[in-house]
Amino acid sequence: ENSLQKTSTCSSVKSSGIFVSPYALNLSSFTKLIRRLQVKHPGFSRSDIVGAVQEVRKMNKGVLSGLAISSIEEKASAIL
């Protein structure tokens, strides 16, 4: 069974003529999490932050689903 959520494929062009991807309009939870951690820990690179999130996943039996984003953020921050 495929559990991927269907997303809208429509895109838009702003009045300035700049194409905006539908994916830019609706950021994934992972991207939001990474951005929040980058703001909270500006001294760490993106790859360091992604590594910390991956470590949280390892500690949670290989999955992040079921954990609140705030919980993942706290645990990743502790690792960083």
Side-chain angles (χ1 to χ4, degrees), residues 30 33-34 36-38 40-41 43-60 62-64 67 69-80:
F30 180 78
L33 172 65
I34 297 301
R36 284 171 59 169
L37 286 165
Q38 285 175 319
K40 193 172 185 178
H41 304 284
F44 288 92
S45 70
R46 185 180 194 283
S47 62
D48 290 335
I49 292 169
V50 170
V53 172
Q54 288 176 338
E55 188 62 33
V56 171
R57 182 179 359 145
K58 280 187 212 174
M59 294 177 350
N60 196 47
V63 294
L64 290 174
L67 290 176
I69 290 178
S70 59
S71 175
I72 299 168
E73 184 179 357
E74 283 178 24
K75 291 177 182 189
S77 291
I79 291 168
L80 292 169

Side-chain angles (χ1 to χ4, degrees), residues 1 13 28 65 69 77 80:
E1 179 180 80
V13 177
S28 72
S65 60
I69 290 178
S77 291
L80 292 169

